[in-house]
Amino acid sequence: MKKIIPYILLSLVAAALIGMFMTGAGKKKRIDERITFRKKDKIPYGTWVAFRSLPAFFPRAAVYTSRQEPGYWDSISVYDSHQLFIAITPRFMPDEYEMRKLITFVENGNDVFISTVSVSNDLEEQLDCKVFDVNRSVVFDNEGSLLSGYDSLLLYLKSPPYATRSVYKYPGKNLDGSFTKFDSLTSIVLGNGEMNDANFIHLKAGRGNFYLHLAPMAFTNYFLLHKNNMEYFEKLMSVIDPAVEKIVWDEYYLNKRYDRPREKKKSWISVLFKYPALKAALLTAIFTLLLYLLLGMRRKQRYIPVVKKPKNDSLDFVKTIGRLYYDKSDHKNLCRKMATYFLEYVRTKYKMATGTLDEMFIRNLQFKSDVPEAEVRHIISFIKYIDDAPQISPGDVTTFYQQLESFYKKA
C-alpha cells in the first residue's frame, strides 16, 4: 500500500496541473484595451471615473443620463436655464435640426460641453469652424467600441484663462483632433495639443456657452487616474457655470451608429403583397378601378375652360404702400421701417445681435458680409441719425434706399 501512495499523489498533482491548463488558470490576465467611453465601464478606456466625479464639481446639480436626441430629453428642457449637456464620444454627428436645438438650448442660458474627435458638417457650418481628425485608422468592433488608436497623449491648458499654462500627459492610447479653422472673433482658445494646435475652444451664444473639446481620451479612467491628471478634468469643469442645477450625460451620440446602413421600413403594401392570393386580388381590384375611371372620363368629359394665371399683386401692394408714405411726406417713419427690415436681415442671415450698433458691430458686419467698410459705416451712421434728425428729406430717403440695395446685392 505504501508503494502505491506516491503514485496516487503524483497522479493527483498531474490531474490538478492538467485542470489548471484546461480551465486557463495560471494564464496572465490581459488588459481590456477597448475604448468604450461608457460611464458604466471601469476598464482603462471607460468613463466611470469622470461620470462619478461630476457631483463633486457641481454639488447642487442633479445628474441624469440621456439616450434621446436633442429636443427630446426627458430630464431637461431646451427652454430652461442653468443646465449642462455633456457628450463624450469619438464621433459627434448632429444634423441641422439637432444643431438648432443645441444652439437654442445654449442661447437660453445653458452650457454644452462636447469632447469628440470627428464632427458633422452641420456642426462645422453652425459654429464656423473646421476640425481635422488625425486618427484615420480607428477600428471599431461589432458592438461599436474602439479597438485601436495611437499611443500617448499630451495636452495643454492656456493661460489665460487659466492661472498657468499647464501640461498633462499619459502613456495610453490617443484619439485627438485639432482645429484647422475657427472664428477668432467669436471663439476663445482654451487648450492645445502636442503640436500646439488648438483643440479646445469656447463659443458664446445668447446667455449660454458652447465648449468644443477634441481629445475625448482625457475623460477615460486611465488618463484621469494617471499621476495628477484629475486636475485637468477639474480645470475643464471650472469654466462651466457653478450654478448648474441639472447635468445630462449624453449617450445618444455614443450609441448612434454611422457605419451601418439603415434598414428600410416595410410599407403596408409590401406586407400585403407578400401573399400571392391577396396580391392577385388587390391587383385585380386596382386594374378594375382604373378601367372604370377611364370609361367614366370618356363618357363625362366636358370642355375645360381656360383659367388665367392669378396676378401677383404683392409688388403693386408694396408700391402703393411706398407711395402712401412718400405722398404723406412721412420720410422719417419710412426710413425707420427700412432700417428695421435691414437689422432683421442682419440678425437672420449673420446671427448677430443688433442691440448695440457700435464700432465692434460695424467691423463684425463688414467681416461677415464682405461689404466695404465705408458702405456699412454709412448705413449704420444713418440708422443712428434717423431718431435724432428733426426731419428727413426725400433725397435722404433715396440715398438710404440706394445704400441698402447696394448692401443686399453685395452681401
Side-chain angles (χ1 to χ4, degrees):
M1 184 65 181
K2 292 181 180 180
K3 295 181 180 180
I4 302 177
I5 291 176
Y7 295 102
I8 296 175
L9 294 176
L10 184 61
S11 301
L12 292 175
V13 171
L17 291 175
I18 294 173
M20 291 175 60
F21 178 78
M22 295 297 292
T23 57
K27 287 186 178 180
K28 186 178 179 180
K29 292 185 178 180
R30 297 183 60 184
I31 298 176
D32 191 343
E33 296 187 348
R34 291 178 302 125
I35 307 174
T36 65
F37 295 115
R38 299 187 185 280
K39 65 179 181 65
K40 66 178 181 179
D41 290 343
K42 298 181 181 180
I43 60 177
Y45 301 112
T47 55
W48 187 85
V49 173
F51 180 77
R52 293 292 179 176
S53 300
L54 290 176
F57 302 139
F58 306 99
R60 296 174 48 191
V63 182
Y64 304 93
T65 302
S66 175
R67 294 180 177 84
Q68 304 296 326
E69 65 179 277
Y72 293 91
W73 298 311
D74 296 329
S75 50
I76 61 174
S77 171
V78 174
Y79 305 102
D80 293 339
S81 59
H82 300 295
Q83 302 170 112
L84 170 62
F85 174 85
I86 300 178
I88 312 298
T89 175
R91 290 175 293 186
F92 187 74
M93 300 289 179
D95 56 26
E96 182 180 359
Y97 170 80
E98 293 169 355
M99 276 304 302
R100 286 203 305 267
K101 286 296 182 181
L102 286 174
I103 292 175
T104 302
F105 178 74
V106 172
E107 290 176 343
N108 288 331
N110 301 293
D111 292 342
V112 169
F113 189 99
I114 308 298
S115 185
T116 186
V117 177
S118 301
V119 299
S120 64
N121 293 330
D122 292 298
L123 183 144
E124 292 179 333
E125 291 177 2
Q126 292 287 339
L127 302 186
D128 193 16
C129 65
K130 199 72 176 177
V131 172
F132 174 66
D133 175 13
V134 299
N135 301 277
R136 300 298 184 186
S137 60
V138 176
V139 179
F140 291 84
D141 65 8
N142 293 331
E143 297 178 355
S145 299
L146 290 162
L147 294 176
S148 68
Y150 295 102
D151 290 334
S152 74
L153 175 63
L154 186 68
L155 299 171
Y156 295 93
L157 289 178
K158 292 193 66 175
S159 173
Y162 298 101
T164 59
R165 186 173 185 267
S166 306
V167 58
Y168 303 90
K169 58 184 178 179
Y170 90 131
K173 292 185 180 295
N174 171 22
L175 292 170
D176 68 339
S178 61
F179 291 99
T180 58
K181 171 196 170 185
F182 58 88
D183 190 348
S184 59
L185 296 177
T186 58
S187 305
I188 301 174
V189 178
L190 303 181
N192 304 93
E194 184 173 1
M195 304 303 294
N196 206 32
D197 296 327
N199 68 355
F200 182 27
I201 62 173
H202 166 222
L203 301 95
K204 186 76 175 175
R207 296 184 290 117
N209 306 278
F210 203 108
Y211 300 94
L212 188 55
H213 183 266
L214 300 182
M217 298 300 291
F219 295 87
T220 60
N221 302 325
Y222 188 0
F223 183 90
L224 295 179
L225 298 179
H226 182 74
K227 295 184 178 180
N228 66 331
N229 285 351
M230 181 59 75
E231 181 182 297
Y232 181 79
F233 187 32
E234 294 175 1
K235 290 185 176 181
L236 290 185
M237 295 297 102
S238 68
V239 298
I240 297 173
D241 183 10
V244 167
E245 297 175 356
K246 292 182 179 180
I247 301 175
V248 164
W249 184 278
D250 176 75
E251 289 193 345
Y252 168 73
Y253 291 102
L254 187 59
N255 296 319
K256 189 176 181 180
R257 298 302 303 272
Y258 307 99
D259 53 346
R260 292 180 179 174
R262 294 184 178 180
E263 293 185 2
K264 294 183 179 180
K265 294 183 178 179
K266 295 183 178 180
S267 64
W268 62 272
I269 296 180
S270 62
V271 174
L272 294 178
F273 280 7
K274 181 179 178 181
Y275 305 98
L278 184 58
K279 178 180 178 180
L282 288 175
L283 290 176
T284 302
I286 292 172
F287 288 137
T288 303
L289 180 61
L290 289 176
L291 181 62
Y292 172 78
L293 291 176
L294 290 174
L295 293 175
M297 291 171 59
R298 183 179 180 181
R299 290 197 302 270
K300 301 178 181 178
Q301 187 174 6
R302 297 179 182 177
Y303 171 73
I304 302 176
V306 178
V307 179
K308 293 184 179 180
K309 184 179 180 180
K311 184 179 180 182
N312 188 356
D313 296 327
S314 300
L315 184 61
D316 294 338
F317 175 76
V318 172
K319 290 181 179 179
T320 302
I321 296 299
R323 292 194 192 99
L324 177 63
Y325 278 103
Y326 192 82
D327 293 342
K328 291 177 61 178
S329 298
D330 194 0
H331 306 310
K332 179 180 286 191
N333 193 11
L334 181 58
C335 288
R336 280 200 192 100
K337 287 180 168 51
M338 293 164 64
T340 300
Y341 176 80
F342 171 77
L343 294 177
E344 176 63 24
Y345 176 83
V346 171
R347 287 192 297 270
T348 303
K349 183 171 182 178
Y350 302 113
K351 311 301 181 189
M352 294 178 58
T354 58
T356 304
L357 305 180
D358 53 7
E359 190 68 22
M360 181 62 71
F361 176 83
I362 294 175
R363 289 200 299 269
N364 289 342
L365 180 57
Q366 189 276 327
F367 177 78
K368 293 189 175 184
S369 64
D370 202 25
V371 176
E373 183 178 349
E375 295 187 19
V376 176
R377 193 174 296 278
H378 289 158
I379 293 174
I380 301 303
S381 299
F382 188 79
I383 291 175
K384 294 180 180 179
Y385 169 75
I386 292 174
D387 291 331
D388 298 332
Q391 62 180 2
I392 302 295
S393 65
D396 293 336
V397 177
T398 303
T399 302
F400 186 44
Y401 172 78
Q402 293 172 350
Q403 291 174 347
L404 293 179
E405 287 298 311
S406 176
F407 180 91
Y408 294 143
K409 291 178 181 179
K410 296 177 180 178

